[in-house]
């Protein structure tokens, strides 16, 4: 494994599968080196790392924060919005439409695309999504909720303001590309002089 993995290094991956594989490989290397016990290594998906930072900051209780929704709660809100919308009358599969809209919302936030983009007004599906997304955002604002697609920007702001700190070296491993949201995260980490290493492609490995 061409990685300098130590117990004080955080390795971020795009998914749980790769995290589990790296942990397994690391443990196998320790056994091969004749060790009977070793410190756990900090390897986890990028999204799980964001939530961990948020949870740690929330538990500190230094300020009033919005409530982070679970994926299940978000899915329920999207289905509620779509099911009662006049735009959903022609839809046979409300759950599928809500799931698609939820995924689109996550992608828009990851790639920093606003619902005010004129493209959404050029087709019926786009106009429907714009109405649903606006209602979802308004619901979150009214109830002081934070959805997971907007969590990265909150973490970026907290890092930038020095309210969250990351002292360990960080390795981004197995990413085929970095979205604008991730690029902003990397920029603020570099700004804070965090030791960063970027591996932009996933290694091939046998299962």
């Amino acid at each position: 494994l061409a990685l300098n993995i130590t117990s004080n290094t955080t390795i971020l991956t795009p998914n749980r599968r790769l995290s589990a594989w790296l942990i397994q490989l690391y443990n196998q290397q320790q056994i091969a080196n004749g060790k009977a016990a070793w410190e756990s290594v900090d390897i986890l998906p990028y999204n799980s790392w964001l939530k961990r930072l948020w949870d740690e900051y929330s538990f500190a209780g230094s300020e009033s924060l919005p409530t982070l929704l679970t994926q299940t709660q978000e899915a329920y809100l999207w289905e509620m919005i779509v099911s009662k919308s006049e735009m959903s009358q022609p839809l046979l599969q409300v759950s599928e439409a809500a799931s698609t809209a939820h995924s689109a919302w996550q992608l828009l936030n990851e790639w920093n695309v606003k619902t005010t983009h004129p493209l959404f007004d050029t087709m019926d599906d786009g106009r429907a999504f714009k109405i649903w997304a606006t209602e979802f955002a308004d619901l979150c604002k009214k109830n002081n909720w934070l959805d997971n697609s907007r969590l990265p920007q909150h973490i970026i702001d907290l890092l930038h303001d020095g309210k969250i700190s990351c002292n360990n070296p960080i390795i981004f491993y197995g990413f085929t590309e970095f979205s604008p949201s991730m690029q902003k995260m990397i920029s603020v980490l570099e700004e804070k002089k965090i030791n960063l290493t970027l591996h932009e492609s996933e290694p091939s490995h046998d299962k």
Side-chain angles (χ1 to χ4, degrees):
L1 181 61
L3 280 175
N4 180 26
I5 302 179
T6 61
S7 59
N8 70 335
T9 298
T10 296
I11 300 178
L12 305 178
T13 70
N15 54 61
R16 295 187 182 279
R17 177 186 58 82
L18 183 54
S19 290
W21 178 76
L22 288 174
I23 291 171
Q24 180 183 22
L25 189 59
Y26 176 76
N27 291 339
Q28 289 173 347
Q29 288 184 340
Q30 305 313 302
I31 294 171
N33 290 334
K35 295 184 179 180
W38 53 90
E39 291 187 63
S40 298
V41 66
D42 193 28
I43 302 176
L44 71 167
Y46 176 69
N47 288 336
S48 297
W49 175 71
L50 292 174
K51 187 171 186 305
R52 185 174 74 183
L53 290 176
W54 179 261
D55 287 343
E56 289 173 350
Y57 186 68
S58 298
F59 292 151
S62 58
E63 64 176 279
S64 177
L65 296 172
T67 299
L68 180 64
L69 298 171
T70 66
Q71 288 290 345
T72 301
Q73 289 169 330
E74 289 184 32
Y76 171 79
L77 289 175
W78 279 100
E79 186 157 342
M80 179 189 71
I81 290 168
V82 172
S83 65
K84 69 182 184 66
S85 169
E86 293 181 0
M87 305 291 289
S88 68
Q89 294 301 322
L91 298 176
L92 297 177
Q93 300 291 337
V94 171
S95 294
E96 184 176 334
S99 177
T100 300
H102 187 190
S103 297
W105 174 255
Q106 293 171 321
L107 282 173
L108 288 186
N109 282 287
E110 186 175 356
W111 290 88
N112 294 340
V113 178
K114 305 298 183 183
T115 54
T116 52
H117 194 288
L119 182 63
F120 290 111
D121 293 320
T122 63
M123 47 192 171
D124 290 342
D125 287 349
R127 284 189 288 270
F129 172 74
K130 184 175 181 178
I131 291 171
W132 300 338
T134 300
E135 184 171 349
F136 178 79
D138 288 346
L139 263 177
C140 289
K141 183 178 181 179
K142 177 182 177 181
N143 293 281
N144 199 27
W145 294 334
L146 174 63
D147 67 280
N148 285 268
S149 67
R150 290 185 286 187
L151 175 61
Q153 185 59 54
H154 275 65
I155 298 296
I156 288 168
D157 291 341
L158 290 169
L159 283 166
H160 181 268
D161 295 341
K163 295 180 178 180
I164 288 179
S165 61
C166 297
N167 299 317
N168 292 348
I170 296 176
I171 299 174
F172 285 81
Y173 193 80
F175 293 89
T176 56
E177 62 181 339
F178 294 107
S179 68
S181 174
M182 292 188 70
Q183 290 172 7
K184 288 173 69 176
M185 176 64 73
I186 289 168
S187 292
V188 77
L189 290 172
E190 290 176 337
E191 174 188 306
K192 295 300 179 180
K193 309 299 182 184
I194 304 300
N195 183 356
L196 285 182
T197 304
L198 307 180
H199 287 264
E200 297 191 27
S201 61
E202 181 177 337
S204 60
H205 55 271
D206 297 326
K207 301 299 290 181

